[in-house]
Amino acid sequence: MLPSSIPGDDGDDDEDPDDTREDLHHHHQGASSNNSSNDLCEALLFSCANNNPKPRNLHHDPSSFMGIPSNSWEWGSSIRESMVNKGLLEGDNESVEEDHYDNITNTNTLNKKINPLGVSAFRMKKMKAGRRKVREPRFCFKTLSDVDVLDDGYKWRKYGQKVVKNTQHPRSYYRCTQDNCRVKKRVERLAEDPRMVITTYEGRHVHSPSHDNLDEDSNSSQPLLNKFFW
DNA sequence: CGTGTTTGACCCGCGC
DNA sequence: GCGCGGGTCAAACACG
Ligand SMILES: [Zn+2]
């Protein structure tokens, strides 16, 4: 009953034997922060991050996507250096192959949920077998508001929270709640500036923001996105 | 009852 | 090989 060895065939049905939690009903800190008034405006002022100084495929440039000039991101001070040092922003990048990534995604979607741990391990092994580390583009934003969950039009579900080293504030991990969309987002507060948070988006949504603004886009002649709300 | 949050365990890469 | 650090999972709760 121990998943000591990962079975190569699909006949694996090992479950996780972990359930030794004793009591998790401590006291929780109800940090109810939901005050998105003009955060979007502020959020648009801060900066955008294309984490690579070397010329790349510009058609992936998020700044142009959002209509923000690329030079408007200027958090290239110690913060960025620190992040580079920590490996959050990798300087080296291989070619991001989206089609291959999508293919893997489909494959993963097929055999999902049967054995999460096993599937995960299997996927990892598979992608390692391809020797191609699937890295989706990450967009970092530095916001200037004390609320992290500012509503950007998408619905996020928190799936984790970790305390990273050298930081005093925990980092939260969110994920898009759409079934086909697996965009992740991580939010971290700066230690020295608690009023500032760094939101790192990972991946791109495959759907339009499901916010309740169904007012004027009912024409929707263009099924593509083109809805630059973000 | 459905959905989102909390939270400890687990996993995995990497450095030593 | 082992420990550490970071990312993810999922059971258990909270809330409507
Ligand atoms: Zn999405």
Side-chain angles (χ1 to χ4, degrees):
Chain A
M1 61 191 282
L2 254 254
S4 57
S5 66
I6 299 173
D9 359 340
D10 46 354
D12 52 343
D13 276 338
D14 294 338
E15 64 281 53
D16 39 357
D18 64 332
D19 266 331
T20 51
R21 59 175 52 88
E22 41 199 3
D23 183 271
L24 48 97
H25 186 262
H26 302 293
H27 46 277
H28 63 284
Q29 73 286 0
S32 62
S33 60
N34 197 356
N35 190 9
S36 62
S37 54
N38 52 1
D39 297 316
L40 264 179
C41 301
E42 285 184 345
L44 284 183
L45 333 165
F46 48 106
S47 50
C48 156
N50 187 5
N51 48 8
N52 209 353
K54 64 179 67 172
R56 283 178 57 200
N57 35 9
L58 263 297
H59 57 275
H60 274 285
D61 201 328
S63 10
S64 69
F65 164 69
M66 289 189 305
I68 294 178
S70 304
N71 53 6
S72 68
W73 81 293
E74 56 150 7
W75 59 301
S77 52
S78 61
I79 299 168
R80 179 191 170 202
E81 196 170 355
S82 164
M83 291 187 76
V84 169
N85 195 5
K86 284 190 294 186
L88 289 178
L89 300 177
E90 71 274 28
D92 51 349
N93 275 332
E94 300 110 34
S95 58
V96 181
E97 295 166 347
E98 285 189 349
D99 48 352
H100 186 256
Y101 163 70
D102 200 287
N103 197 357
I104 285 184
T105 304
N106 278 331
T107 305
N108 186 17
T109 310
L110 279 182
N111 42 3
K112 69 181 207 179
K113 212 62 178 175
I114 300 176
N115 190 1
L117 290 175
V119 164
S120 180
F122 187 68
R123 181 182 55 171
M124 284 294 177
K125 178 170 290 186
K126 188 171 189 176
M127 85 163 73
K128 185 189 286 182
R131 290 190 307 273
R132 192 162 299 161
K133 201 176 296 291
V134 179
R135 63 179 62 191
E136 32 210 312
R138 295 183 291 190
F139 315 124
C140 304
F141 306 106
K142 184 176 73 169
T143 54
L144 188 59
S145 83
D146 47 352
V147 287
D148 50 350
V149 283
L150 43 90
D151 194 6
D152 51 359
Y154 298 97
K155 302 292 289 185
W156 302 94
R157 188 186 86 250
K158 176 186 277 190
Y159 69 94
Q161 179 169 343
K162 256 309 211 189
V163 177
V164 293
K165 211 163 78 74
N166 292 329
T167 56
Q168 305 155 1
H169 303 286
R171 176 184 300 171
S172 302
Y173 301 93
Y174 296 90
R175 178 179 294 180
C176 187
T177 54
Q178 293 291 332
D179 49 353
N180 260 338
C181 186
R182 309 180 317 143
V183 177
K184 285 177 288 189
K185 145 182 162 183
R186 86 185 57 158
V187 174
E188 177 183 4
R189 280 192 175 84
L190 286 186
E192 300 179 354
D193 291 323
R195 301 151 192 86
M196 214 174 313
V197 296
I198 288 187
T199 305
T200 303
Y201 290 89
E202 182 173 344
R204 294 260 295 131
H205 292 275
V206 297
H207 57 88
S208 50
S210 67
H211 216 237
D212 52 285
N213 41 4
L214 42 93
D215 35 60
E216 83 282 10
D217 71 324
S218 58
N219 49 5
S220 69
S221 57
Q222 178 64 271
L224 259 298
L225 36 111
N226 293 336
K227 204 60 179 178
F228 305 111
F229 190 61
W230 253 86

